[in-house]
Amino acid sequence: MEAKEKYVLRLADNALILGQRLGEWCGHGPILEQDIALTNVALDLIGQSRMLYQYAAELKNDGSTEDDIAMKRDVFDFYNVLMVEQENGDWGKTIVRQFFYDTYNYFLYEALCTSTDQRLGEIARKSFKEIAYHAQFSAEWVIRFGDGTSESHERVQAAVDDLWEFTGEMFTPDEIDLAMTEAGIAPDLNQIAAQWKRKVTQILDIATLKMPESSFMQKGGKVGEHSEYLGFILAELQFMQRAYPGMQW
Amino acid sequence: MMKEKIRTILHEVKDPEIPVLSIEDLGIVRDFFIDDTNTVTVVITPTYSGCPAMDTIEADIIKALEEAGFKAKVKTVLDPPWTTDWMSEEGKRRLEEYGIAAPVKGSADKRTLFGKSPDVRCPHCRSMDTQLVSQFGSTACKALYKCIDCLEPFDYFKCI
Ligand SMILES: [Zn+2]
């Protein structure tokens, strides 16, 4: 597989899997407004994943459609980061996962807006406005919880500590990332890491939360080595196409 | 002549979720042209990337043009990305009449973390003393507000 195709699939898989995770909250949110908020974010992410899968299908150029790519691959052929497949947990954990990811996504897509790859640039410019809105939403909730009651503070600090080990993978470049940076298609992940760290430090500080000190980081999602969660996510996501291949609404 | 006719037809195609707005008012129609085979190609751009109304809008455009005797095609473009700045003044006026506060210019995307919130006018009593309830609302393009004066909740067509 060509490096660019794989890179586009990583972006697409991140958006689809996180969108699917957030969709699990539909009908279960703590209050109606927040239920609606998460499903709105999910809708944006799934819309973004469609633009990216359409592009991946064109790059693949073997007659596959966006649906084939999303619905017919198994766990080891998904390249999303481990962060997005982590369990929803309580609402605080969902928000922290979103905050860590949105902040990364914000700086990543801001840079992708000026990609040398024309199509990726178009998709990024469309997506960035939505991502900026998500990033504001999740950061505000981190502050509200962190600087809220002692229970909300404790729960959200626990989520920060839990999810910390999944942040490193987003910024650790492998040969695909390096090739994309070299070609001017994607930004240097070290630069994104620095921007991310500055923003996350600032928000955690306002939220009276502590930044974890541990430097142990999980990795594997980007090359198809996933936690056990992804299989369950795909089982639900892909059920209809697996049970009734080629079915249409 | 032909162009005017097509424009009139497109003006009759409404947003399925906000039926007081035509797709032209919304700024979804970017361009249209007619080729030698008398096929009209309409170029549209999505409001939000996951907007579920886009498929309906596409079908409605084709139906409206075919009923008027044209062959029709719809092409979707992403760039430049849609902005509420493209909404017509007439559209904004009708939106407010319908009970949805119109997007406030200049409160756009870069206000992340944490620029000022826009000053949104209550579509019921026109008070400026309003408050954000939730950044997200009943559809991708709306946020939820309430009015401090008349106490009514209302949708705000968010500015992007
Ligand atoms: Zn009012």
Side-chain angles (χ1 to χ4, degrees):
Chain A
M1 192 187 298
E2 201 203 328
K4 186 159 86 180
E5 184 189 332
K6 201 157 185 174
Y7 185 74
V8 172
L9 277 180
R10 283 179 180 175
L11 296 174
D13 291 344
N14 281 339
L16 179 68
I17 299 302
L18 186 55
Q20 177 72 11
R21 265 295 189 222
L22 292 177
E24 290 172 17
W25 272 107
C26 188
H28 301 276
I31 54 170
L32 185 61
E33 283 77 11
Q34 302 324 323
D35 193 295
I36 289 172
L38 288 190
T39 41
N40 263 293
V41 176
L43 188 64
D44 287 341
L45 288 167
I46 289 170
Q48 291 161 16
S49 80
R50 286 193 57 192
M51 300 190 283
L52 291 159
Y53 284 128
Q54 283 160 11
Y55 185 29
E58 283 169 38
L59 292 172
K60 210 166 179 224
N61 196 25
D62 65 354
S64 301
T65 65
E66 53 173 313
D67 288 331
D68 294 332
I69 298 177
M71 296 299 166
K72 294 183 183 166
R73 281 176 305 148
D74 205 344
V75 170
F76 301 109
D77 297 318
F78 268 77
Y79 304 119
N80 58 278
V81 290
L82 297 171
M83 176 69 82
V84 297
E85 68 197 45
Q86 296 309 303
E87 284 184 303
N88 283 339
D90 60 15
W91 213 69
K93 185 171 179 184
T94 293
I95 287 296
V96 171
R97 184 186 64 201
Q98 199 64 30
F99 167 62
F100 283 157
Y101 184 76
D102 283 343
T103 309
Y104 156 76
N105 222 19
Y106 178 88
F107 293 116
L108 177 66
Y109 273 71
E110 184 183 46
L112 285 173
C113 286
T114 54
S115 172
T116 54
D117 187 82
Q118 192 198 337
R119 183 69 174 279
L120 213 46
E122 286 177 5
I123 295 172
R125 290 190 286 276
K126 178 73 204 163
S127 308
F128 180 64
K129 294 182 177 200
E130 296 162 1
I131 292 167
Y133 204 80
H134 303 165
Q136 176 174 354
F137 169 79
S138 53
E140 284 177 359
W141 272 97
V142 166
I143 293 169
R144 191 171 304 178
F145 282 143
D147 199 14
T149 66
S150 61
E151 179 166 4
S152 72
H153 178 90
E154 268 169 41
R155 285 209 203 186
V156 89
Q157 181 67 58
V160 167
D161 297 344
D162 260 9
L163 290 168
W164 189 251
E165 65 183 10
F166 301 106
T167 56
E169 186 186 18
M170 303 190 290
F171 307 109
T172 311
D174 65 0
E175 69 276 17
I176 303 228
D177 294 310
L178 293 173
M180 292 301 102
T181 305
E182 180 74 20
I185 292 173
D188 178 354
L189 282 178
N190 290 317
Q191 166 210 323
I192 305 298
Q195 290 174 303
W196 182 87
K197 191 147 192 208
R198 206 174 309 130
K199 181 55 79 181
V200 167
T201 306
Q202 181 203 343
I203 299 297
L204 291 184
D205 193 46
I206 299 171
T208 73
L209 292 164
K210 271 207 279 301
M211 187 112 150
E213 276 160 20
S214 164
S215 59
F216 171 75
M217 291 294 167
Q218 298 277 1
K219 63 177 170 46
K222 279 157 79 162
V223 292
E225 293 160 11
H226 292 277
S227 61
E228 65 174 25
Y229 300 128
L230 187 62
F232 291 97
I233 295 172
L234 294 184
E236 189 163 289
L237 174 74
Q238 299 176 335
F239 173 80
M240 292 302 275
Q241 281 305 320
R242 299 289 186 188
Y244 308 98
M247 65 109 27
Q248 294 197 331
W249 290 107
Chain B
M1 278 298 284
M2 193 74 102
K3 281 234 152 190
E4 272 316 299
K5 191 175 168 196
I6 293 167
R7 198 177 292 282
T8 312
I9 294 166
L10 292 177
H11 208 80
E12 288 308 307
V13 179
K14 307 297 180 191
D15 179 317
E17 279 164 353
I18 310 169
V20 290
L21 291 184
S22 78
I23 54 173
E24 283 237 292
D25 288 329
L26 266 170
I28 288 175
V29 177
R30 301 316 299 153
D31 196 9
F32 60 85
F33 47 87
I34 315 161
D35 66 17
D36 314 337
T37 65
N38 210 30
T39 303
V40 183
T41 302
V42 181
V43 182
I44 61 172
T45 195
T47 51
Y48 284 79
S49 45
C51 178
M54 292 313 291
D55 288 340
T56 314
I57 289 172
E58 187 172 330
D60 288 349
I61 290 172
I62 291 174
K63 184 161 168 272
L65 285 165
E66 283 180 351
E67 275 171 6
F70 294 100
K71 280 179 279 183
K73 272 199 307 212
V74 170
K75 184 171 173 246
T76 300
V77 295
L78 299 178
D79 204 45
W82 180 80
T83 156
T84 34
D85 293 349
W86 293 344
M87 192 184 286
S88 69
E89 289 308 312
E90 170 66 12
K92 285 181 190 165
R93 195 185 59 73
R94 265 185 277 128
L95 199 61
E96 215 171 347
E97 254 175 40
Y98 187 61
I100 299 173
V104 179
K105 215 179 157 122
S107 62
D109 48 323
K110 295 286 171 118
R111 72 195 182 94
T112 319
L113 306 185
F114 299 101
K116 189 174 160 298
S117 285
D119 294 321
V120 176
R121 180 167 67 190
C122 170
H124 306 299
C125 75
R126 316 221 130 213
S127 165
M128 294 302 289
D129 194 6
T130 60
Q131 192 179 42
L132 176 73
V133 175
S134 174
Q135 289 103 322
F136 295 91
S138 55
T139 65
C141 53
K142 287 179 254 161
L144 191 62
Y145 272 71
K146 72 175 175 196
C147 177
I148 306 296
D149 275 333
C150 75
L151 302 176
E152 287 291 323
F154 62 92
D155 277 333
Y156 166 60
F157 200 107
K158 65 200 192 197
C159 191
I160 68 165

